[in-house]
Amino acid sequence: MTQHSAHSPQFFLTAPSPCPYLEGQYERKVFTHLVGAKAPELNDLLTQGGFRRSQNIAYRPACENCRACVSVRILAQEFCLSKNMKRILKRNADLIGTARPAEPSTEQYSVFRAYLDARHRRGGMSDMTVLDYAMMVEDTHVDTKVIEYRRRGPDSFVTGRGEGELLAVALTDQMSDGLSMVYSFYDPELEGRSLGTFMILDHIRRAAAAGLPHVYLGYWVNGSRKMAYKVRFRPQEHLGPNGWVRFQQED
């Protein structure tokens, strides 16, 4: 069996493939494995350096002719709600998010499948089976939680948990300096709730309550409509050649 050391991880480079965000561009990624007892420490360091986690792999873009992908993290302790975000929180005041161990369920996959079919039918994840989904959730060597969002029920004030059908899910890594939103999805028939935004706002609240400074959102791709929503959550920092820098953009 091949062993990987957190102190000297091996990095690999993928072959070029069509970019899913910018037409006409090709992407390459550098990646390493996140395994063993030191995986949480390595995941912290790599995430702070612009990597993302997918199962037991940490990766970041390494494209030859493009630098459009920029790592984004929200400053949770300084975050201020916009009027629209306050409306979204009010709209979803009947929901409770419950953090659970990184264990998949058929109920989660049902929501996941409906989300992919409605929002990402032609994406790279469109053909994921229930076994693929289970691997996405379970194959982690870091502190990962599944946060399930359900409506409040009669006993929620006692249990602190939502009840009834599952409406949204976030796969989230707990790190030393914040929360990293690995992947999130929701019932596509509930578009009016803005559940994607609501889950990000809930993670900001969770990070701030825990005294953690950051919520990592992955990559913002300037010029990609799919990623435009990420710059709405301010203040935030972007990772550039000189490290993490507060992002400034005219509205």
Side-chain angles (χ1 to χ4, degrees):
M1 180 181 294
T2 302
Q3 296 185 358
H4 303 274
S5 169
H7 299 291
S8 56
Q10 292 182 294
F11 291 89
F12 307 89
L13 187 64
T14 65
S17 61
C19 176
Y21 301 112
L22 298 177
E23 187 175 354
Q25 295 286 349
Y26 284 80
E27 69 170 359
R28 300 189 77 177
K29 296 175 182 177
V30 59
F31 68 94
T32 189
H33 295 86
L34 291 171
V35 295
K38 294 293 185 179
E41 175 186 344
L42 181 59
N43 187 49
D44 274 18
L45 291 172
L46 291 178
T47 301
Q48 292 161 10
F51 280 71
R52 291 288 284 168
R53 185 182 71 80
S54 177
Q55 297 178 216
N56 65 359
I57 296 292
Y59 69 90
R60 69 167 174 79
C63 306
E64 296 178 359
N65 301 311
C66 181
R67 296 294 182 269
C69 292
V70 178
S71 294
V72 174
R73 67 185 186 187
I74 302 166
L75 300 176
Q77 301 294 332
E78 302 178 41
F79 183 76
C80 294
L81 292 165
S82 67
K83 290 182 180 180
N84 182 58
M85 290 172 182
K86 290 179 181 179
R87 287 194 291 269
I88 291 172
L89 287 179
K90 185 176 181 180
R91 196 179 305 152
N92 292 284
D94 61 331
L95 301 187
I96 295 179
T98 303
R100 300 182 178 277
E103 299 172 354
S105 70
T106 55
E107 189 179 20
Q108 291 169 17
Y109 180 72
S110 178
V111 178
F112 177 72
R113 186 70 262 166
Y115 176 80
L116 290 184
D117 289 344
R119 299 292 300 273
H120 301 286
R121 186 171 298 176
R122 297 181 180 179
M125 302 172 69
S126 61
D127 60 350
M128 285 182 65
T129 67
V130 65
L131 293 179
D132 295 327
Y133 174 76
M135 287 294 291
M136 184 178 82
V137 174
E138 290 180 327
D139 195 2
T140 175
H141 290 251
V142 303
D143 186 2
T144 303
K145 303 294 183 185
V146 172
I147 303 179
E148 296 185 341
Y149 294 87
R150 303 175 188 269
R151 289 187 176 90
R152 296 179 184 273
D155 297 328
S156 292
F157 73 97
V158 176
T159 65
R161 298 192 298 270
E163 301 176 10
E165 64 180 321
L166 183 65
L167 304 186
V169 177
L171 186 64
T172 303
D173 288 347
Q174 170 84 52
M175 305 195 325
S176 62
D177 71 329
L179 302 176
S180 177
M181 297 186 70
V182 177
Y183 196 78
S184 60
F185 54 92
Y186 53 85
D187 184 339
E189 295 186 0
L190 302 175
E191 191 74 26
R193 280 183 173 267
S194 301
L195 287 169
T197 296
F198 171 71
M199 284 189 280
I200 295 175
L201 295 175
D202 182 64
H203 278 68
I204 296 170
R205 177 193 63 78
R206 290 172 181 268
L212 299 171
H214 305 123
V215 173
Y216 288 85
L217 288 187
Y219 301 114
W220 170 61
V221 183
N222 193 8
S224 170
R225 294 180 61 186
K226 294 180 182 179
M227 296 295 182
Y229 73 92
K230 294 189 179 184
V231 294
R232 298 202 314 262
F233 301 88
R234 305 181 198 175
Q236 63 179 235
E237 293 179 330
H238 290 188
L239 183 60
N242 298 317
W244 289 97
V245 177
R246 187 176 290 246
F247 175 67
Q248 302 289 345
Q249 184 185 58
E250 295 183 3
D251 293 309

